[in-house]
Amino acid sequence: MTELTFGWIAPVLSYVMACVGSALGLRCMVRALSATGRSRRHWLVNGAMAIGTGIWTMHFIAMMGFGVTGSEIRYDVPLTVLSLLVAIAVVGIGVFAVGYLASKTLAVLVGGAVAGLGVAAMHYIGMAAMRLSGNVSYDPGVVTLSVAIAVAAATAALWATLNIHGKAAAVGASLVMGVAVSAMHYTGMAAVSVEVHAGHSVTSGATPMQFVFPLTVVLGSYLFLTSAFVALSPGPQKELTT
């Protein structure tokens, strides 16, 4: 079996980005639940973008440390972009469910399930964008476990956001969500097997430094700048429905 390698710095940086995106997204959700009308929609959109961007950035930072002995790795650009859009869109469905469903229990269950599936969809579309000289296969049982981890932890993070108030709750929920994304990613990677084709070379796709790294830097900067904006913005205020 081909040897797969993982760097030690990438997991740390990727976890930090997952936590930053989750903290920002969950904070936006708290603001949304205290607002009405157009303001609520804006906060929910920002929350979906933060969480979706955070998990995408986490995934590809982690993939910077991933290597396959005997093959260079490149990425299909359209599929890579699609994975980002899917992450934002699917997580957005879960976020809006939390924002508008009257029942907290139903909101947490639906929102957690959809957000968790969004994390998993982003991961496996991102993996499908990977191009190398060989065949990639997955262990179905481990894949199922990775999806279950994402759904369970996303549900726990949303429950904490809705039911436990204060800074401690916000920090705890973001750490849980960060663990969810990271655990899902590395469990999913544990399902991967690669059979390298000797004598073949990768000719299509962009190298990580050509496309993935610059986009990751841009999205990471967006998360940190938006986090500062949200932290410095005035507290929640009730507004008239529009």
Side-chain angles (χ1 to χ4, degrees):
M1 180 180 296
T2 301
E3 181 182 357
L4 308 181
T5 59
F6 300 88
W8 66 271
I9 296 179
V12 176
L13 293 177
S14 62
Y15 176 70
V16 170
M17 293 309 303
C19 289
V20 170
S22 299
L24 175 58
L26 295 174
R27 186 60 184 166
C28 288
M29 289 175 61
V30 170
R31 294 290 185 91
L33 295 174
S34 300
T36 58
R38 184 179 301 169
S39 179
R40 171 172 288 195
R41 291 192 295 272
H42 288 169
W43 280 115
L44 291 174
V45 169
N46 286 332
M49 290 185 64
I51 296 174
T53 299
I55 63 177
W56 188 94
T57 305
M58 174 271 154
H59 171 82
F60 281 99
I61 287 178
M63 292 304 292
M64 292 286 183
F66 175 70
V68 177
T69 302
S71 176
E72 180 186 10
I73 296 177
R74 292 176 178 258
Y75 291 92
D76 179 279
V77 173
L79 270 181
T80 302
V81 173
L82 176 63
S83 69
L84 172 61
L85 298 179
V86 167
I88 295 173
V90 179
V91 169
I93 295 172
V95 166
F96 270 79
V98 173
Y100 285 102
L101 288 177
S103 169
K104 280 189 176 182
T105 300
L106 184 60
V108 168
L109 293 176
V110 172
V114 175
L117 291 174
V119 172
M122 180 282 307
H123 174 86
Y124 288 107
I125 293 174
M127 292 299 293
M130 189 169 61
R131 298 288 179 262
L132 51 80
S133 299
N135 295 326
V136 179
S137 58
Y138 297 89
D139 182 315
V142 180
V143 169
T144 301
L145 176 61
S146 70
V147 176
I149 290 172
V151 171
T155 301
L158 293 179
W159 179 88
T161 300
L162 290 177
N163 293 281
I164 305 175
H165 304 288
K167 292 183 179 179
V171 172
S174 65
L175 292 177
V176 169
M177 193 67 175
V179 169
V181 177
S182 298
M184 184 272 146
H185 174 85
Y186 287 104
T187 301
M189 294 306 294
V192 174
S193 297
V194 178
E195 180 184 355
V196 172
H197 297 160
H200 289 243
S201 61
V202 178
T203 57
S204 63
T207 66
M209 294 305 294
Q210 287 175 331
F211 174 71
V212 175
F213 178 74
L215 184 56
T216 299
V217 170
V218 170
L219 295 178
S221 300
Y222 157 77
L223 287 175
F224 280 106
L225 291 174
T226 307
S227 296
F229 170 78
V230 172
L232 296 173
S233 64
Q237 295 180 352
K238 290 290 183 180
E239 300 178 8
L240 295 177
T241 302
T242 57

